[in-house]
Amino acid sequence: MKITFYGHASLGITINDVNILVDPFISANEKASHINVDTLKADYILLTHAHQDHILDVEAIAKRTNAVVISNFEIVSHFQNKGLEGHPMNHGGSWDFEFGMVKYVNAIHTSSFPDGSYGGQPGGFVIEGEHKNIYIAGDTALTMDMKLIPMQTKLDLAILPIGDNFTMGIDDAILASDFVECDKVLGYHFDTFGYIEINHEEAKRKFFDKDKDLMLLDIGESLEL
Ligand code: NI
Ligand code: MN
């Protein structure tokens, strides 16, 4: 499993030649100006919630690639009405896709579309690939529901928001890492806007002091699991 950070909360995940994009918000992210949205591959697009900073590039990418949008019922319906392919889910539900099992799990946040219309309830994803399992938390507060995840899935990586203000910050992300029983964390949802700028060295040191590993990728950089 290869995971590429496209800035903010945008990820590319490749599992056995299947390309998955998560929360594509790239074209308006000045920090990601070196990423060309028009060449990104996507067989599936996973969306955690309906906020602009998670769905901005969905239509353009899906119309070009015919990618299937996977999200909650309201978000998938919204994009199906625009002619995109979709697979609706809801919290607690899982489905076996060609690349692995996806479960839509709880997040504490909000989920309106940019025009204010209802985007369902926000979520995160657990993905059980052929060999590796990951948790993509989405935008969320620290929540006790995270403790449910390791009851069913042994995680190899937890992807957690760390920017604070709109989501968990570093200290809560460390607790979240305890809750999901995974000490290997990829941080996301930081630095994009002034509200969520973080001190990278301090963040890494705080994780290190708890015997945990916080990875922060450059935009466009990948890690292999
Ligand atoms: Ni959000
Ligand atoms: Mn967000």
Side-chain angles (χ1 to χ4, degrees):
M1 186 184 296
K2 182 181 172 188
I3 298 171
T4 305
F5 181 54
Y6 289 123
H8 196 52
S10 307
L11 304 163
I13 302 170
T14 307
I15 304 173
N16 296 340
D17 296 330
V18 177
N19 294 298
I20 303 154
L21 278 182
V22 182
D23 288 357
F25 169 80
I26 298 160
S27 62
N29 183 358
E30 287 172 19
K31 293 186 158 62
S33 57
H34 57 296
I35 305 296
N36 185 353
V37 177
D38 299 331
T39 58
L40 291 180
K41 293 180 184 169
D43 300 300
Y44 297 90
I45 300 176
L46 269 57
L47 302 175
T48 60
H49 65 295
H51 284 161
Q52 176 82 326
D53 61 314
H54 298 257
I55 65 160
L56 179 71
D57 296 319
V58 171
E59 252 189 284
I61 294 169
K63 283 196 167 145
R64 176 176 56 79
T65 59
N66 291 319
V68 177
V69 174
I70 302 171
S71 189
N72 70 29
F73 176 79
E74 288 79 5
I75 292 173
V76 168
S77 299
H78 169 92
F79 284 113
Q80 282 174 328
N81 288 337
K82 292 174 179 289
L84 307 188
E85 296 290 319
H87 180 112
M89 301 185 73
N90 221 322
H91 300 86
S94 53
W95 186 264
D96 287 318
F97 292 90
E98 59 177 320
F99 58 84
M101 190 282 297
V102 173
K103 185 169 187 177
Y104 192 61
V105 296
N106 297 342
I108 294 188
H109 193 66
T110 54
S111 180
S112 48
F113 283 100
D115 68 358
S117 61
Y118 180 58
Q121 297 294 309
F125 295 100
V126 172
I127 301 175
E128 294 186 358
E130 195 175 27
H131 303 295
K132 300 289 178 180
N133 303 328
I134 65 171
Y135 167 49
I136 302 166
D139 286 10
T140 185
L142 179 66
T143 161
M144 296 294 271
D145 287 345
M146 291 169 177
K147 293 190 174 189
L148 297 170
I149 291 169
M151 291 180 181
Q152 291 174 313
T153 303
K154 174 139 186 36
L155 294 174
D156 297 288
L157 179 72
I159 302 174
L160 304 176
I162 55 171
D164 217 333
N165 191 74
F166 297 116
T167 67
M168 296 187 285
I170 292 295
D171 295 335
D172 283 2
I174 289 170
L175 290 171
S177 151
D178 286 335
F179 285 7
V180 301
E181 298 178 15
C182 180
D183 291 332
K184 194 169 174 184
V185 172
L186 174 65
Y188 77 165
H189 212 275
F190 64 94
D191 282 359
T192 320
F193 325 112
Y195 288 124
I196 61 174
E197 276 169 11
I198 65 160
N199 180 323
H200 293 206
E201 290 317 309
E202 185 186 5
K204 286 181 183 172
R205 183 179 43 75
K206 281 187 168 184
F207 271 79
F208 182 80
D209 287 347
K210 299 285 183 186
D211 289 324
K212 296 174 185 292
D213 182 19
L214 174 68
M215 290 171 287
L216 302 177
L217 296 177
D218 290 333
I219 296 176
E221 193 182 358
S222 301
L223 66 82
E224 198 84 40
L225 276 186

